[in-house]
Amino acid sequence: MQTNHNKTALLVMDMQNGIVSRFAEHEKGVLSIQRAVEAARRHSIPVIFVRVAFSKGYPEINPQNKAFSAISKSSGMTVSDIATQIHESVKPKTDEPIVTKYRVSAFAGSNLEVVLRSRQIETLILSGIATSGVVLSTLREAADKDYALKVLSDACLDADPEVHRILTEKVFPRQADVLTVDAWIDSLG
């Protein structure tokens, strides 16, 4: 199936300083994400950056939220904090949107869907950190919203290589085409 590049966007998710720094040993994965960003730009495919960040005082964090409640005690991860800025390895251009989310999925509490609709995007190419976090949650929600999906397996990182393998080989193919950055670049023509 040929993808209409004009209706496709590359999502670069949670490639922010505070998260990338925890994956320093995964240099190959970061390079794959860089290559995907460069290829998208060469082919005029919009690149949309997604980050997780919170307002000062953390009004978005419920104490019952196991994943995020510890953040509100650490006084980091606010929208202006260095940890929430997009990592310089994939520095956004001035015309590339940076979407701020408040939960795991790129759609949760963000304006992502409005940005995608305004650009008439139908196909999402997913990349980012972590495979078992933002990639999984975004894939599931995007599939429910009827987006066509591709996951760049080597442009997704996870702290647990076995979880990454199971998701990319067994779970994601049910709702998305899973391919490497090289295979995706080759498909762009």
Side-chain angles (χ1 to χ4, degrees), residues 3-168:
T3 300
N4 179 347
H5 298 330
N6 295 330
K7 295 188 180 249
T8 299
L10 172 66
L11 297 187
V12 180
M13 302 181 289
D14 290 0
M15 280 293 294
Q16 59 196 67
N17 294 323
I19 295 175
V20 173
S21 64
R22 291 186 247 152
F23 287 81
E25 74 279 4
H26 292 90
E27 184 180 346
K28 189 175 175 186
V30 172
L31 291 173
S32 292
I33 295 169
Q34 285 177 305
R35 289 181 44 251
V37 168
E38 291 163 5
R41 288 172 176 161
R42 273 194 315 274
H43 291 275
S44 299
I45 295 170
V47 179
I48 301 170
F49 294 87
V50 178
R51 68 178 182 158
V52 61
F54 303 97
S55 304
K56 188 175 180 180
Y58 308 97
E60 304 89 0
I61 297 180
N62 184 304
Q64 296 179 96
N65 186 310
K66 190 173 182 177
F68 291 121
S69 61
I71 291 172
S72 65
K73 295 173 183 67
S74 69
S75 73
M77 297 294 286
T78 60
V79 292
S80 60
D81 191 63
I82 190 72
T84 63
Q85 306 313 303
I86 303 299
H87 193 264
E88 72 175 23
S89 65
V90 291
K91 186 175 170 109
K93 292 187 173 186
T94 55
D95 63 339
E96 292 173 332
I98 299 172
V99 170
T100 300
K101 65 186 177 92
Y102 298 98
R103 292 293 184 269
V104 180
S105 169
F107 291 96
S110 76
N111 66 343
L112 178 59
E113 199 161 7
V114 172
V115 170
L116 296 174
R117 271 198 322 267
S118 73
R119 294 170 180 232
Q120 300 176 4
I121 300 298
E122 296 174 0
T123 300
L124 301 178
I125 313 299
L126 305 182
S127 68
I129 303 173
T131 313
S132 61
V134 68
V135 179
L136 172 61
S137 293
T138 302
L139 179 139
R140 292 294 201 189
E141 192 164 347
D144 282 346
K145 294 176 183 294
D146 299 321
Y147 286 98
L149 297 165
K150 295 178 190 284
V151 175
L152 303 179
S153 59
D154 55 339
C156 295
L157 305 174
D158 200 276
D160 186 329
E162 181 63 7
V163 169
H164 173 84
R165 185 190 69 75
I166 289 170
L167 288 170
T168 57

